Amino acid sequence: MKQIISHKLSNINLKNEILAGLTVALALIPESVAFAFVAGVSPILSLQTAVVMGMVAALFSGRPGMISSSTAAISVVMAGLVASHGLEHLFAAVILMGMIQLLIGVLKLGKYARMIPYPVMLGFLNGLSIVILISQFDLFKVNIAGGREWLQGSDLLIMLAFVGVTMAIIHFLPKLTRAIPASLAAIVVVTVIAVLLGRFGGYHMQTVQDFAGMTLKGGLPQFYLPQVSLSLETFRIILPYAVISALVGLTEAVLTLRVIDEMTETKGHTDKEIIAQGLGNLANGFFGGMGGDSMIGQSIINIKSGGRTRISSFVAPLGLLIFIMFGSSIINVIPLAALVGVMFMVVIGTFKWESLKYNGKIPRQDMVVMLAVTVITIFSDLATAVIAGVILSALAFAWKKGTEADALIVDNPDGSRTYKLNGSIFFGSVLNFQELFSPKEDPEVVIFDFETAKVMDYSGVEAINTLVEKYEACGKKVILNHVGRYSMNLFKDARKITSIDKQKIEQPPHC
């Protein structure tokens, strides 16, 4: 056992894990601040949410290397609750959200995430990359009395130039050395240049402090019991927000897990990750947090910076905590251009560029699903997009399978007629299937041969039963042949409500 543990530890690049975590910690700052404004809470509350969520999820995660924090998806859902009932109900809703996620994880319902088709994944990634891109545009604005306005003239050009410098460092540095994560190096270099420019050049670049509208400095998260009454009325208020947030959070977590699995060619544990998300939100509620889930952008930054284990996932929130407690002077002077550049590179790495070449090379219905999920992700939310994508994929699959059901007609020497059935007989194909037969014109004995067909559901059983009844009403005999075990069990279970029994089913000797 000691040898196994020693071998595992020897495979961990501790320097890369720590530096990757610190890179993510810096990248979390502007996002957490922005999400605070969306939810209507203070930036410090959002940052402390990132700390608690990140630490707990990292400790119990089923996907080492994945980053969890406060997120846009949860912020949007909870904004209405904060506006109508205040922070105390928010904290209570986050606790209930964590309980729901824990229940889903304990019941091992994560397996149903495997139902998400690949075109939905592609649409999600493309839509999410566009959402990340659009979210960065607000950082090109400046605070003024009464709101925020776009940067103009030379200010805009200078910021774009520094964004370009950041992206160039991230792109080219790995070709020279991988000693430190390129994103971290880019942030440090651009921050130093911005500080020198402000001190000796007299030009002030927009910083994290400018964006937040305040000096970011906080302390350790404190245990807190929400000051709400334990009543049915409170439960009625928070339940809808808790359920929607739980499902949105788990959808994003499961999809992020699958993306990281693909990037690292390893396999995470879905149900374990769901439990980790639940524990993270449960802890957040009791520490006065706004709730959160996994972050695909920061997770990709972590993986590309060399983070592969829980170490980097834990260092990120720990580093963020240290920054807001002791390094606020460093955080506040980081130029927004550096962080925008990092996120722009995430956008480039997240978008599935090969999908632009898919038109005409993959089934049309898959293209429709992918585009639909992309558009819905941009204009609505992730959970709605994924649910819509799964439904569209299922309908497209049912339609395709439904059109494949057919039958070859064979007239036998003894005067009987055999219908050699082909395809799946289920709710999507029964209408086409029933049109293949002619009870009035067929001979006295008709054989339905199921050797290359399969009855999939009760709709299929009822379709066969309806045909048998039509033939019997015409005084004709129907025989079901080569009925497979699965179809036989369906007929057997439904024998009390159909006219089909074993006497109508004949199996060849080898069966």
Side-chain angles (χ1 to χ4, degrees):
M1 179 63 72
K2 289 183 178 180
Q3 290 180 340
I4 294 174
I5 295 174
S6 176
H7 176 69
K8 288 183 177 180
L9 290 175
S10 65
N11 289 335
I12 296 175
N13 189 322
L14 190 59
K15 182 197 71 174
N16 283 354
E17 297 290 333
I18 294 174
L19 292 178
L22 292 176
T23 304
V24 173
L26 295 174
L28 283 171
I29 296 166
E31 300 261 336
S32 298
V33 172
F35 301 153
F37 294 142
V38 172
V41 300
S42 74
I44 291 299
L45 187 148
S46 181
L47 288 167
Q48 290 184 335
T49 295
V51 171
V52 175
M53 186 74 198
M55 286 184 172
V56 176
L59 289 174
F60 299 97
S61 176
R63 171 67 270 176
M66 202 158 88
I67 303 298
S68 294
S69 174
S70 53
T71 61
I74 304 302
S75 301
V76 170
V77 175
M78 292 297 190
L81 179 62
V82 174
S84 60
H85 292 88
L87 287 177
E88 300 301 331
H89 280 76
L90 168 66
F91 302 149
V94 172
I95 291 172
L96 182 57
M97 169 188 172
M99 291 179 177
I100 293 170
Q101 291 178 327
L102 275 174
L103 182 63
I104 293 173
V106 170
L107 294 178
K108 299 187 182 298
L109 300 180
K111 59 186 177 183
Y112 294 107
R114 283 176 269 180
M115 293 172 56
I116 300 175
Y118 191 65
V120 175
M121 280 285 295
L122 288 176
F124 154 69
L125 289 172
N126 290 349
L128 185 66
S129 63
I130 295 172
V131 169
I132 293 173
L133 176 67
I134 295 172
S135 70
Q136 301 307 302
F137 293 164
D138 194 49
L139 276 66
F140 285 89
K141 297 179 181 179
V142 59
N143 290 330
I144 62 167
R148 291 172 61 79
E149 286 189 358
W150 289 95
L151 291 171
Q152 302 288 331
S154 60
D155 291 335
L156 179 60
L157 292 176
I158 291 173
M159 181 162 181
L160 287 172
F162 276 90
V163 170
V165 169
T166 303
M167 296 174 69
I169 294 173
I170 295 172
H171 178 73
F172 291 108
L173 184 61
K175 302 179 186 297
L176 302 175
T177 178
R178 294 185 178 272
I180 60 173
S183 296
L184 179 60
I187 292 172
V188 171
V189 170
V190 174
T191 299
V192 170
I193 294 174
V195 170
L196 293 176
L197 188 63
R199 181 168 296 181
F200 301 108
Y203 182 81
H204 176 72
M205 291 184 63
Q206 290 294 304
T207 64
V208 170
Q209 181 175 337
D210 297 324
F211 179 66
M214 60 182 290
T215 301
L216 296 180
K217 185 174 179 62
L220 288 171
Q222 302 293 318
F223 183 80
Y224 183 79
L225 286 175
Q227 303 301 303
V228 294
S229 61
L230 299 177
S231 64
L232 285 176
E233 178 61 19
T234 300
F235 184 75
R236 183 189 65 79
I237 292 171
I238 67 175
L239 181 61
Y241 295 97
V243 171
I244 295 172
S245 296
L247 295 179
V248 168
L250 291 187
T251 302
E252 192 156 2
V254 169
L255 289 179
T256 302
L257 183 146
R258 287 183 58 176
V259 171
I260 302 305
D261 281 355
E262 187 177 313
M263 289 181 65
T264 59
E265 297 183 351
T266 57
K267 185 173 177 58
H269 194 295
T270 304
D271 291 314
K272 191 174 179 181
E273 180 58 39
I274 291 173
I275 290 174
Q277 294 291 316
L279 290 172
N281 281 306
L282 193 63
N284 250 311
F286 284 116
F287 279 87
M290 57 185 276
D293 59 67
S294 62
M295 300 191 74
I296 188 167
Q298 276 70 14
S299 296
I300 291 174
I301 291 174
N302 186 44
I303 296 300
K304 290 191 172 182
S305 297
R308 291 293 186 276
T309 70
R310 299 177 197 278
I311 296 174
S312 60
S313 300
F314 191 82
V315 167
L318 179 62
L320 181 60
L321 177 62
I322 293 172
F323 286 150
I324 61 179
M325 288 182 64
F326 308 110
S328 59
S329 58
I330 298 175
I331 292 179
N332 288 290
V333 299
I334 295 175
L336 295 180
L339 300 173
V340 171
V342 171
M343 295 312 295
F344 277 2
M345 292 302 290
V346 170
V347 169
I348 294 172
T350 302
F351 193 90
K352 291 292 185 179
W353 300 98
E354 65 270 20
S355 64
L356 300 178
K357 305 176 183 178
Y358 284 168
N359 192 26
K361 298 180 181 179
I362 63 174
R364 182 175 298 176
Q365 63 267 24
D366 288 341
M367 280 296 299
V368 170
V369 169
M370 183 176 69
L371 291 174
V373 173
T374 298
V375 171
I376 297 172
T377 300
I378 295 170
F379 292 102
S380 182
D381 61 78
L382 172 62
T384 302
V386 172
I387 292 170
V390 171
I391 292 173
L392 285 174
S393 296
L395 291 174
F397 177 80
W399 177 264
K400 183 179 179 182
K401 284 294 181 182
T403 59
E404 291 176 353
D406 59 14
L408 175 64
I409 301 175
V410 178
D411 290 322
N412 303 312
D414 61 1
S416 64
R417 175 170 289 177
T418 298
Y419 284 89
K420 290 185 174 294
L421 309 178
N422 182 54
S424 300
I425 305 169
F426 68 114
F427 71 90
S429 64
V430 292
L431 291 179
N432 290 337
F433 177 74
Q434 289 176 325
E435 293 175 355
L436 301 172
F437 303 88
S438 305
K440 293 182 179 179
E441 289 78 18
D442 281 342
E444 298 299 316
V445 178
V446 177
I447 302 169
F448 293 172
D449 192 331
F450 288 85
E451 187 170 12
T452 56
K454 188 174 184 179
V455 180
M456 302 296 295
D457 60 6
Y458 178 65
S459 295
V461 172
E462 182 57 29
I464 301 296
N465 178 59
T466 299
L467 283 170
V468 170
E469 290 178 343
K470 287 182 179 179
Y471 277 101
E472 290 181 341
C474 295
K476 299 173 182 179
K477 181 182 180 181
V478 178
I479 298 172
L480 278 57
N481 202 358
H482 291 98
V483 178
R485 181 177 297 175
Y486 183 84
S487 302
M488 177 75 81
N489 288 336
L490 284 177
F491 287 129
K492 184 177 178 181
D493 293 339
R495 64 184 181 274
K496 291 184 180 179
I497 52 177
T498 69
S499 62
I500 302 171
D501 55 37
K502 288 186 177 181
Q503 294 176 348
K504 293 188 177 69
I505 300 177
E506 293 186 2
Q507 301 289 5
H510 68 269
C511 291

